Amino acid sequence: MITRFNVLRSRRGFAEAFGLAAIMLILMVGVGAAVVAFAFQSRTAADTMMLTSAVVSRANVYAGELTETAAGGLAAGPKAPEPYSGVTTTIDSVADVDSATKRLTITARFTNGTDVKRVIDIHRNDVTHIASVDPDTGKYTWTKATNTADTTVFSVWSAATDSVRKLTAAESVGLSNARTKWLVLQPRGGIDSDGHLWMWGSNTYGQLGDNSTVNSATPKQIGTRTYSDLITLAKTTFAIDTSGNLWAWGFDGTTNLIYNADVSTNELEPVKIISSVWIDIASDGDRVFAVNSSHNVYGWGSTANGGLGGATGASATTPGKLPISGIMQVAASGNAGWALADDGDLFGWGTGIIGDGTDAVNAPPTQIKAGTKFTMVTASNESGASDGAAAIDRAGKVWSWGTNTDGRLGDGTTTTRKSPVATSSGTFISVFMVRDTTYGIAPTGALYAWGSDEYRYGGAFDSGSKVPVNIMVGQKFSYIAPASVNGSTANAVAAIDDQGDAWKLNPGGTGLWSVSPTPVGTTKAFRMPVPSGFVTSDW
């Protein structure tokens, strides 16, 4: 579809249209900046593509700043931000080739020092209006009216089309439309960038949701419904779809986690449960907690040891509302749970080390480290009484509590802590406690770990650590998934890197899908193969 604009008949009309054009020009810069270098080719080639794209973006920004406007027209927009995290661009020189051409020398550089230097020309065009916009490439065509007596003429600068390689339509759109990537990952399932659900592994109880009990060694797409969140337990699976509905399938069990009428029947396909709009879910395998759009927490499952937090009317077969409100996230472990409020307050309940300074027994929701505001909470996925959890405060500091035999609290000791203790170093944007190991992702995307190296995480972490260690220098991540819980044989730690690819961080653990042939160096973390059915890049 081509959008066309009539020749302007007044200065005012043109100024309005030119304002729209200026906005479109800025949008083009954002589109160009969204180009992502893919990891299928060599890392050097991928980095060069990304840095070259950054050069193009910077040239377009500079051209936009040069664009002249008439009195009363829209001023040129402000300088756009750097196009990629971790990339800076510098205009080293500007030379006048002639009155209508400027030659820019631009350097784009990663924070690690890798850089490219490119020469790119920008040209001045005298125009009166936009003739068309190509919706596929974002390319716009300027035109100059034949009779300019009643029309203001503008000088518009733009990068020369033959100065650098032209971006393809897929590159212009960016990663989301160029290939499929992982958004959510668990040891037995995941959600891709289109919202589709993929499952694999054991299916004895129908936990794959494909209306069978046949195991699958590789990922298979489950239906066409789109999802936003997922939990894979040993025998049961829960997911929230993009409309906020909660679905469950697999083993119903004696505690009726799936919450339907017949606890003796396994569900082989997703079943919608508990009507509401849900935004978060957590489970320790014996009980489930879910947060709805009203920011209330509901729990159901085992009522032992106060693990349901005093939820009103809650039982093994009936969800009940916990006596706290304004909640945005939940976590669960053993016989305990935690809830993070919208205002940053953190609450814990149940039996075990919940972070209130005691060995709690049947504790109701209790505020943890009052006065400190948190941004996320994670819990160790162990059965029995709670043995630990961690949270990040608004300054990026990690606070942990619980048993500390292998140093997973990151405070340089192996001392059990019943109240939150700060990790010895580092600031983080997310944290994940997985059994005896804690992982943290720094603002740069760097992955750190502390605690046990029981399943061979590799690198500088070969013998574990009592303080945070960057375990994969040079690789960036966005997501770490906890291992399956409560009796599951799957103890793989799954991760998603900054390109949307899946990784198995602990090759000694079980879980994720089959890999053949076995990757070289299986004592180290490795990238998982792309599942059959994923759309891959063609450049």
Side-chain angles (χ1 to χ4, degrees), residues 142-167:
W142 292 93
T143 301
K144 185 176 181 179
T146 304
N147 183 0
T148 60
D150 255 351
T151 305
T152 303
V153 178
F154 291 86
S155 293
V156 174
W157 292 83
S158 61
T161 57
D162 57 354
S163 297
V164 295
R165 175 180 63 83
K166 181 182 178 181
L167 303 181

Side-chain angles (χ1 to χ4, degrees), residues 12-24:
R12 178 181 178 183
F14 178 74
E16 293 172 350
F18 184 78
L20 175 60
I23 294 171
M24 289 163 53

Side-chain angles (χ1 to χ4, degrees), residues 248-340:
W249 57 97
F251 180 67
D252 215 344
T254 57
T255 55
N256 200 18
L257 290 184
I258 294 182
Y259 183 62
N260 69 7
D262 187 356
V263 298
S264 65
T265 301
N266 296 328
E267 299 293 347
L268 305 185
E269 294 182 289
V271 175
K272 187 189 297 185
I273 62 174
I274 315 175
S275 180
S276 189
V277 175
W278 302 98
I279 61 174
D280 194 38
I281 184 171
S283 175
D284 62 2
D286 289 323
R287 57 192 59 77
V288 180
F289 299 102
V291 183
N292 66 10
S293 57
S294 296
H295 296 266
N296 294 315
V297 181
Y298 288 79
W300 64 96
S302 173
T303 59
N305 301 304
L308 288 181
T312 303
S315 69
T317 58
T318 306
K321 180 178 175 296
L322 273 69
I324 47 178
S325 59
I327 303 302
M328 67 177 184
Q329 188 209 343
V330 284
S333 172
N335 292 314
W338 291 266
L340 179 63

Side-chain angles (χ1 to χ4, degrees), residues 237-462:
T237 305
F238 295 90
I240 298 175
D241 69 23
T242 49
S243 295
N245 298 305
L246 180 59
W247 301 79
W249 57 97
F251 180 67
D252 215 344
T254 57
T255 55
N256 200 18
L257 290 184
I258 294 182
Y259 183 62
N260 69 7
D262 187 356
V263 298
S264 65
T265 301
N266 296 328
E267 299 293 347
L268 305 185
E269 294 182 289
V271 175
K272 187 189 297 185
I273 62 174
I274 315 175
S275 180
S276 189
V277 175
W278 302 98
I279 61 174
D280 194 38
I281 184 171
S283 175
D284 62 2
D286 289 323
R287 57 192 59 77
V288 180
F289 299 102
V291 183
N292 66 10
S293 57
S294 296
H295 296 266
N296 294 315
V297 181
Y298 288 79
W300 64 96
S302 173
T303 59
N305 301 304
L308 288 181
T312 303
S315 69
T317 58
T318 306
K321 180 178 175 296
L322 273 69
I324 47 178
S325 59
I327 303 302
M328 67 177 184
Q329 188 209 343
V330 284
S333 172
N335 292 314
W338 291 266
L340 179 63
D342 296 328
D343 62 5
D345 288 342
L346 181 64
F347 299 87
W349 61 86
T351 296
I353 303 176
I354 66 172
D356 67 343
T358 72
D359 287 309
V361 178
N362 299 333
T366 304
Q367 187 167 357
I368 307 301
K369 195 169 175 54
T372 299
K373 300 298 184 179
F374 295 93
T375 61
M376 75 164 292
V377 61
T378 180
S380 172
N381 45 4
E382 297 285 351
S383 59
S386 167
D387 73 345
I392 299 179
D393 68 19
R394 289 180 177 174
K397 182 183 295 184
V398 173
W399 297 84
S400 308
W401 54 96
T403 57
N404 196 25
T405 303
D406 296 291
R408 66 173 179 175
L409 303 189
D411 65 343
T413 77
T414 57
T415 303
T416 294
R417 308 287 187 177
K418 297 179 182 179
S419 297
V421 60
T423 299
S424 64
S425 61
T427 57
F428 300 90
I429 58 174
S430 55
V431 63
F432 308 85
M433 185 175 281
V434 182
R435 291 189 169 92
D436 295 322
T437 309
T438 304
Y439 299 88
I441 297 178
T444 61
L447 176 63
Y448 288 77
W450 51 99
S452 171
D453 190 30
E454 179 181 0
Y455 297 108
R456 301 195 311 276
Y457 297 91
F461 199 55
D462 276 335

